């Protein structure tokens, strides 16, 4: 009885991993509600307040220097090895690959490109907003500071706001944003908040960022997540455009208006569940192409040469695709009846098969060896 219950649970888990027969109808996109607008406005005000506080060298800058002189990595050195690995959860390359793999599986399972397109839009917004502020303010990090008590702005740096922190908020928060149920969204929101807070605190511990950098990075990532519903119409239009292009390529491949090598490369992408495939091309006299009425196949686009044989009928020909730039006439030997190997007459070679070397014979005749005993 217990074994049957375990098998039932396993089957239920594997059933959730299988691809759904069609796109689910219950998937809903988040809307820009009044609550979200209030949060967006509050986060934006907090963002501007941090920028102004750093520009005016206020108490926040003094707090940055106090924590820098405290040197947390020297106070708790036993945490250094673990936090070196934890901070990787904020690096854009590894986190983007992991999240894209998960969202790619979701896109395949639910027959939709919205998860991947949403991730791409979020990362693009992250690069534009965070990158422009980094380069515009040019703040130096704690390890490269030159004047005690200064904000270290416009000095050619690129650490304000913290890119690790903002990236952790966006990449892990996008999982909560794309969750299909309320419970899953709340759980993933807590997980993403813990990860982003941990990554931000780790950068302060390692001495790579000021505290104000981390605060601005948290607010920058949260602003992107809160503003994503405004980009949902663009995401929907992009998804529809990609599907339209796929259908156009499929029709061109089926009607033969696309080169055969391109069709062979695009067949896995254009096939829907393995229902669309190519068939061999046979050209009949008169220009007709046969290969099945249900699934037309593309004709070769380069020059063809009709190779006629003696035993074949004059009304049919085989299409031969030439890849050379010039067309040469085909040369065929005279036809003869086909004989299997057992009916052939054995031929015994006469003499040596090694070709004669005239120059060796001449040399030997000129210098003859002496006769033995002479």
């Amino acid at each position: 009885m217990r074994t049957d219950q375990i098998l039932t649970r396993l089957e239920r888990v594997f059933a959730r991993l299988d691809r759904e027969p069609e796109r689910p109808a219950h998937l809903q996109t988040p809307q820009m509600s009044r609550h979200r607008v209030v949060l967006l406005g509050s986060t934006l005000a907090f963002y501007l307040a941090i920028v102004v506080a750093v520009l005016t060298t206020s108490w926040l800058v003094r707090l940055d220097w106090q924590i820098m002189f405290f040197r947390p990595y020297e106070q708790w050195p036993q945490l250094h090895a673990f936090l070196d690995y934890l901070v990787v959860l904020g690096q854009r390359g590894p986190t983007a690959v992991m999240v894209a793999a998960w969202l790619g599986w979701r896109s395949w399972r639910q027959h939709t490109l919205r998860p991947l397109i949403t991730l791409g839009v979020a990362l693009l917004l992250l690069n534009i907003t965070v990158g422009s502020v980094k380069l515009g303010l040019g703040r130096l990090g704690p390890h490269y500071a030159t004047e005690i008590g200064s904000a270290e702005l416009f000095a050619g740096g690129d650490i304000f706001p913290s890119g690790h922190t903002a990236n952790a908020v966006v990449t892990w928060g996008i999982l909560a944003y794309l969750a299909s149920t309320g419970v899953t969204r709340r759980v993933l929101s807590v997980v993403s908040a813990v990860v982003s807070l941990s990554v931000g605190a780790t950068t302060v511990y390692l001495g790579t960022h000021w505290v104000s950098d981390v605060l601005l990075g948290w607010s920058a990532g949260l602003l992107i997540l809160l503003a994503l519903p405004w980009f949902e119409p663009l995401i929907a239009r992009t998804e529809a455009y990609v599907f339209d292009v796929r259908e156009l390529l499929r029709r061109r491949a089926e009607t033969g208006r696309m080169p055969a090598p391109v069709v062979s490369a695009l067949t896995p992408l254009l096939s829907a569940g393995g229902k669309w495939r190519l068939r061999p091309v046979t050209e009949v006299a008169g220009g007709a192409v046969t290969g099945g009425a249900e699934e037309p196949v593309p004709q070769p686009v380069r020059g063809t040469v009709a190779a006629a044989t003696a035993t074949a009928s004059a009304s049919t020909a085989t299409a031969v695709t030439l890849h050379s730039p010039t067309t040469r006439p085909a040369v065929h030997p005279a036809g003869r009846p086909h004989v299997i190997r057992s009916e052939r007459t054995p031929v015994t070679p006469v003499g040596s098969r090694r070709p004669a070397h005239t120059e060796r014979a001449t040399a030997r005749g000129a210098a003859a060896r002496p006769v033995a005993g002479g």
Side-chain angles (χ1 to χ4, degrees), residues 49-70 137 139-142 145-153 159-160 209-213 215:
I50 296 174
V51 174
V52 172
V54 174
L55 288 174
T56 57
T57 316
S58 64
W59 61 270
L60 186 57
V61 177
R62 293 194 296 270
L63 178 63
D64 290 338
W65 280 97
Q66 290 174 2
I67 296 180
M68 194 275 286
F69 285 129
F70 181 70
L137 296 179
R139 191 182 190 186
L140 295 176
T146 57
E147 184 180 354
I148 297 176
S150 66
E152 300 293 338
L153 293 173
I159 56 103
F160 183 70
H209 280 286
W210 308 98
V211 175
S212 54
D213 299 341
L215 294 177

Side-chain angles (χ1 to χ4, degrees), residues 1-32:
M1 185 66 181
R2 186 177 182 85
T3 304
D4 296 340
Q5 186 177 2
I6 294 177
L7 291 177
T8 303
R9 291 176 182 175
L10 290 177
E11 292 174 356
R12 194 175 304 169
V13 169
F14 284 117
R16 291 179 61 86
L17 297 178
D18 291 338
R19 193 179 191 187
E20 299 183 6
E22 59 184 5
R23 180 172 178 170
H26 64 278
L27 295 180
Q28 297 180 357
T29 58
Q31 303 296 325
M32 185 58 82

